[in-house]
Amino acid sequence: MTAPPAALFRRWVHVREEDAAGVRVFRPADRPLPPARGRDGLEFRAGGIFAYLRPGPTDAPVAVVGRWSTPARDRIALTYPPDARAGDAPTGYEIVELTPDLLRLRPV
Amino acid sequence: MAFTGRLAPGAVREWCGTMPVHRRLLDTDPGYARAREEIETFTFDAAREEPPPLGLVTIPTIVHVVWSRPEQNVTDEQVASQIETLNRDFRKTNEDVAILPPVWAPVAADADIEFALVDVTRTRTEVAAFDTDDGVKSARTGGVDPVSTDTHLNLWVCQLGGGLLGYAQFPGGPAETDGVVVTYTAFGSTGTAAAPFDLGRTSTHEVGHWLNLRHIWGDDGDGCGGSDFVDDTPNQGGPNYGRPTYPKVSCNNAPHGDMFVNYMDYTDDAAMVMFTRGQAARMAAALRGPRSGLLAAAATS
Ligand SMILES: [Zn+2]
């Protein structure tokens, strides 16, 4: 187990129009973002908690809260509460790039 | 209908701020869950009974402009452009209905609903960007309180955070937060409205929710098990984005595929051009039932 970089611990919004070559691009939620009809997102908190955010039935984000762990360097494994994982939600990511302004994740 | 908002034990309090209004209310207010159930039963019965048409219903509308930077203080002209778009879209007088694939022309509906602007309020705020915690709907949190929600549509325009275009509240929720919220760059069709959300369709979509419409894909992620409780919209996997080309097939819905031209999908403003007859009937049921105050107001005005 290795601790992920502290920069990971914030809310990130998926800017899918920047995705390329199987890598998902996330930007900090508290910065100006290009509006889009329906963005998903991720929030990581120290202590092993994460939330997967996706548009709910009236468009405000819905949070599924689970636990993260780091099985290897630059790897994040995600576990969801029973029956709470949407069919297309990844169970793990490789951290391709992490800066204060940018998070690039490849689903694994 | 599968909700994705399940929470780990002990996490509810910590994550309340991120919860959508609908889910938060279901979790914390048993009366809301009961109200939603009763509304669905009423709506189902209304659809089966096929009651006579209501005729034209005009909804008095109040627009609340809440701004911190001058450009967010959208002009009366921009407000007027939004009301015009709502009136075209809910009456099927939008010219771009011409882009419909012919197979769906027969189910495209005039919902027989219009909107009359009765007031515009303007509030300066210290809040740089509002979240979906309904802060914009209360003076206490830097926004402005709604007015007469039983007889009026309240529509807030502000800067929303996180790249969000807008959000709504279904019928059956608390009066003090009833209405829809739209970010100022996706409001109306002039001024600050920016492509590809510059034709006023965000408000059309949100007012659809406010009149009890669900997302056309059934709110079950990309699965095929969700429903929008409307019979004349095809079963569809997940949301569509951008400007798809016909046919876009999912969930064994060939040959015609997803109805991505529907206002309740997630496509660009220029790609969404219709409600169906089934959706119009569902909105009419909302007007007969949980939003009947609007009918009473229209009858006495
Ligand atoms: Zn929606």
mmCIF file of all heavy atoms in Angstrom, chain A residues 53-70:
data_model
loop_
_atom_site.group_PDB
_atom_site.id
_atom_site.type_symbol
_atom_site.label_atom_id
_atom_site.label_comp_id
_atom_site.label_asym_id
_atom_site.label_seq_id
_atom_site.Cartn_x
_atom_site.Cartn_y
_atom_site.Cartn_z
ATOM 1 N N LEU A 53 -19.991 10.486 -8.637
ATOM 2 C CA LEU A 53 -21.113 11.402 -8.835
ATOM 3 C C LEU A 53 -21.595 11.300 -10.274
ATOM 4 O O LEU A 53 -20.793 11.330 -11.203
ATOM 5 C CB LEU A 53 -20.674 12.832 -8.537
ATOM 6 C CG LEU A 53 -20.157 13.055 -7.118
ATOM 7 C CD1 LEU A 53 -19.024 14.065 -7.093
ATOM 8 C CD2 LEU A 53 -21.295 13.507 -6.228
ATOM 9 N N ARG A 54 -22.918 11.171 -10.438
ATOM 10 C CA ARG A 54 -23.470 11.178 -11.798
ATOM 11 C C ARG A 54 -24.809 11.895 -11.768
ATOM 12 O O ARG A 54 -25.432 12.016 -10.716
ATOM 13 C CB ARG A 54 -23.593 9.766 -12.335
ATOM 14 C CG ARG A 54 -24.574 8.894 -11.610
ATOM 15 C CD ARG A 54 -24.458 7.449 -12.051
ATOM 16 N NE ARG A 54 -24.472 7.330 -13.496
ATOM 17 C CZ ARG A 54 -24.071 6.249 -14.166
ATOM 18 N NH1 ARG A 54 -23.619 5.214 -13.521
ATOM 19 N NH2 ARG A 54 -24.119 6.213 -15.484
ATOM 20 N N PRO A 55 -25.260 12.371 -12.943
ATOM 21 C CA PRO A 55 -26.508 13.143 -12.941
ATOM 22 C C PRO A 55 -27.675 12.305 -12.425
ATOM 23 O O PRO A 55 -27.853 11.163 -12.837
ATOM 24 C CB PRO A 55 -26.706 13.498 -14.410
ATOM 25 C CG PRO A 55 -25.352 13.394 -15.020
ATOM 26 C CD PRO A 55 -24.644 12.306 -14.269
ATOM 27 N N GLY A 56 -28.458 12.864 -11.537
ATOM 28 C CA GLY A 56 -29.627 12.183 -10.993
ATOM 29 C C GLY A 56 -30.870 12.471 -11.824
ATOM 30 O O GLY A 56 -30.797 13.108 -12.876
ATOM 31 N N PRO A 57 -32.034 12.020 -11.356
ATOM 32 C CA PRO A 57 -33.268 12.122 -12.137
ATOM 33 C C PRO A 57 -33.753 13.549 -12.372
ATOM 34 O O PRO A 57 -34.580 13.766 -13.250
ATOM 35 C CB PRO A 57 -34.291 11.326 -11.331
ATOM 36 C CG PRO A 57 -33.644 10.933 -10.067
ATOM 37 C CD PRO A 57 -32.193 11.212 -10.134
ATOM 38 N N THR A 58 -33.256 14.533 -11.595
ATOM 39 C CA THR A 58 -33.587 15.924 -11.910
ATOM 40 C C THR A 58 -32.320 16.721 -12.217
ATOM 41 O O THR A 58 -32.276 17.937 -12.063
ATOM 42 C CB THR A 58 -34.353 16.605 -10.756
ATOM 43 O OG1 THR A 58 -33.565 16.492 -9.565
ATOM 44 C CG2 THR A 58 -35.704 15.957 -10.534
ATOM 45 N N ASP A 59 -31.270 16.027 -12.650
ATOM 46 C CA ASP A 59 -30.008 16.593 -13.164
ATOM 47 C C ASP A 59 -28.983 16.988 -12.103
ATOM 48 O O ASP A 59 -27.811 17.152 -12.421
ATOM 49 C CB ASP A 59 -30.243 17.785 -14.118
ATOM 50 C CG ASP A 59 -31.148 17.397 -15.265
ATOM 51 O OD1 ASP A 59 -30.970 16.294 -15.800
ATOM 52 O OD2 ASP A 59 -32.055 18.175 -15.595
ATOM 53 N N ALA A 60 -29.392 17.168 -10.849
ATOM 54 C CA ALA A 60 -28.399 17.395 -9.803
ATOM 55 C C ALA A 60 -27.625 16.092 -9.583
ATOM 56 O O ALA A 60 -28.185 15.009 -9.738
ATOM 57 C CB ALA A 60 -29.087 17.819 -8.502
ATOM 58 N N PRO A 61 -26.319 16.175 -9.261
ATOM 59 C CA PRO A 61 -25.529 14.952 -9.140
ATOM 60 C C PRO A 61 -25.993 14.059 -7.993
ATOM 61 O O PRO A 61 -26.405 14.539 -6.937
ATOM 62 C CB PRO A 61 -24.103 15.459 -8.863
ATOM 63 C CG PRO A 61 -24.112 16.901 -9.202
ATOM 64 C CD PRO A 61 -25.512 17.386 -9.066
ATOM 65 N N VAL A 62 -25.928 12.756 -8.245
ATOM 66 C CA VAL A 62 -26.212 11.732 -7.236
ATOM 67 C C VAL A 62 -24.881 11.119 -6.835
ATOM 68 O O VAL A 62 -24.051 10.813 -7.680
ATOM 69 C CB VAL A 62 -27.097 10.621 -7.831
ATOM 70 C CG1 VAL A 62 -27.358 9.542 -6.794
ATOM 71 C CG2 VAL A 62 -28.396 11.177 -8.345
ATOM 72 N N ALA A 63 -24.665 10.922 -5.532
ATOM 73 C CA ALA A 63 -23.407 10.350 -5.047
ATOM 74 C C ALA A 63 -23.581 8.883 -4.681
ATOM 75 O O ALA A 63 -24.506 8.522 -3.972
ATOM 76 C CB ALA A 63 -22.926 11.120 -3.823
ATOM 77 N N VAL A 64 -22.701 8.035 -5.213
ATOM 78 C CA VAL A 64 -22.543 6.678 -4.703
ATOM 79 C C VAL A 64 -21.245 6.684 -3.914
ATOM 80 O O VAL A 64 -20.194 7.020 -4.451
ATOM 81 C CB VAL A 64 -22.467 5.647 -5.847
ATOM 82 C CG1 VAL A 64 -22.145 4.258 -5.280
ATOM 83 C CG2 VAL A 64 -23.767 5.617 -6.618
ATOM 84 N N VAL A 65 -21.310 6.353 -2.636
ATOM 85 C CA VAL A 65 -20.142 6.441 -1.772
ATOM 86 C C VAL A 65 -19.544 5.055 -1.574
ATOM 87 O O VAL A 65 -20.257 4.106 -1.265
ATOM 88 C CB VAL A 65 -20.523 7.050 -0.410
ATOM 89 C CG1 VAL A 65 -19.300 7.131 0.507
ATOM 90 C CG2 VAL A 65 -21.118 8.439 -0.613
ATOM 91 N N GLY A 66 -18.233 4.941 -1.807
ATOM 92 C CA GLY A 66 -17.546 3.665 -1.621
ATOM 93 C C GLY A 66 -16.186 3.884 -0.982
ATOM 94 O O GLY A 66 -15.922 4.947 -0.408
ATOM 95 N N ARG A 67 -15.324 2.879 -1.097
ATOM 96 C CA ARG A 67 -13.995 2.959 -0.493
ATOM 97 C C ARG A 67 -12.928 2.784 -1.552
ATOM 98 O O ARG A 67 -13.079 2.005 -2.489
ATOM 99 C CB ARG A 67 -13.835 1.892 0.590
ATOM 100 C CG ARG A 67 -14.831 2.029 1.742
ATOM 101 C CD ARG A 67 -14.385 1.258 2.977
ATOM 102 N NE ARG A 67 -13.174 1.808 3.574
ATOM 103 C CZ ARG A 67 -13.156 2.832 4.433
ATOM 104 N NH1 ARG A 67 -14.271 3.428 4.790
ATOM 105 N NH2 ARG A 67 -12.016 3.265 4.921
ATOM 106 N N TRP A 68 -11.827 3.565 -1.420
ATOM 107 C CA TRP A 68 -10.683 3.386 -2.319
ATOM 108 C C TRP A 68 -9.523 2.764 -1.553
ATOM 109 O O TRP A 68 -9.407 2.897 -0.335
ATOM 110 C CB TRP A 68 -10.249 4.719 -2.950
ATOM 111 C CG TRP A 68 -9.814 5.790 -1.980
ATOM 112 C CD1 TRP A 68 -10.580 6.822 -1.517
ATOM 113 C CD2 TRP A 68 -8.526 5.932 -1.361
ATOM 114 N NE1 TRP A 68 -9.860 7.587 -0.649
ATOM 115 C CE2 TRP A 68 -8.591 7.067 -0.531
ATOM 116 C CE3 TRP A 68 -7.330 5.206 -1.430
ATOM 117 C CZ2 TRP A 68 -7.509 7.505 0.231
ATOM 118 C CZ3 TRP A 68 -6.239 5.641 -0.666
ATOM 119 C CH2 TRP A 68 -6.334 6.780 0.149
ATOM 120 N N SER A 69 -8.657 2.083 -2.307
ATOM 121 C CA SER A 69 -7.387 1.604 -1.766
ATOM 122 C C SER A 69 -6.356 1.696 -2.877
ATOM 123 O O SER A 69 -6.700 1.931 -4.044
ATOM 124 C CB SER A 69 -7.518 0.164 -1.259
ATOM 125 O OG SER A 69 -7.883 -0.687 -2.333
ATOM 126 N N THR A 70 -5.081 1.563 -2.513
ATOM 127 C CA THR A 70 -4.013 1.687 -3.512
ATOM 128 C C THR A 70 -3.197 0.392 -3.528
ATOM 129 O O THR A 70 -2.224 0.263 -2.806
ATOM 130 C CB THR A 70 -3.103 2.882 -3.198
ATOM 131 O OG1 THR A 70 -2.725 2.833 -1.818
ATOM 132 C CG2 THR A 70 -3.814 4.188 -3.455
#
